[in-house]
Amino acid sequence: MADLYALDLAFDLLDGTPDAVLAELRRQLASPDGLLSTRGPAWRVGGVLVGELAPADRGGWALTTRQEVHEEQLPDVEDLLLLLAPHIRPPGPVGRIRHYEHEAPDLLVLREGRVVQLALDPRRG
């Protein structure tokens, strides 16, 4: 059994996001070993893997990405979200994560300056 997850992120970053944070995000989107850099058909979770950072209409930056991540990469995903969290335009959900065998994803929500994971299916615990 593969421990793969579908990771979907979609949120805006504030206009004052530091250049170093944006550079790290761009590296994750573009470098061959970046967490958000895979493009094309997903191996296990279905659909297409994408990643885009673009200037937002109301200032700042808009990020949308869909990636297939292995369980071993989840700490790196958490580190990236910790780096980005103070710069995410609140409020509300920032994405979702779903184990490839589950039907319902967990919601990723910005709360008190951190991204937290909320299980939408109470039967999974």
Side-chain angles (χ1 to χ4, degrees), residues 78-123:
E78 184 176 352
D79 288 346
L80 179 61
L81 291 174
L82 282 171
L83 175 70
L84 297 174
H87 312 290
I88 294 173
R89 187 182 321 258
V94 298
R96 59 189 179 180
I97 189 166
R98 178 186 61 83
H99 188 272
Y100 83 97
E101 291 182 334
H102 296 157
E103 291 179 352
D106 290 350
L107 197 58
L108 300 173
V109 179
L110 183 63
R111 289 219 175 135
E112 298 176 10
R114 292 189 55 128
V115 175
V116 297
Q117 186 172 335
L118 304 175
L120 296 180
D121 184 351
R123 296 170 292 179

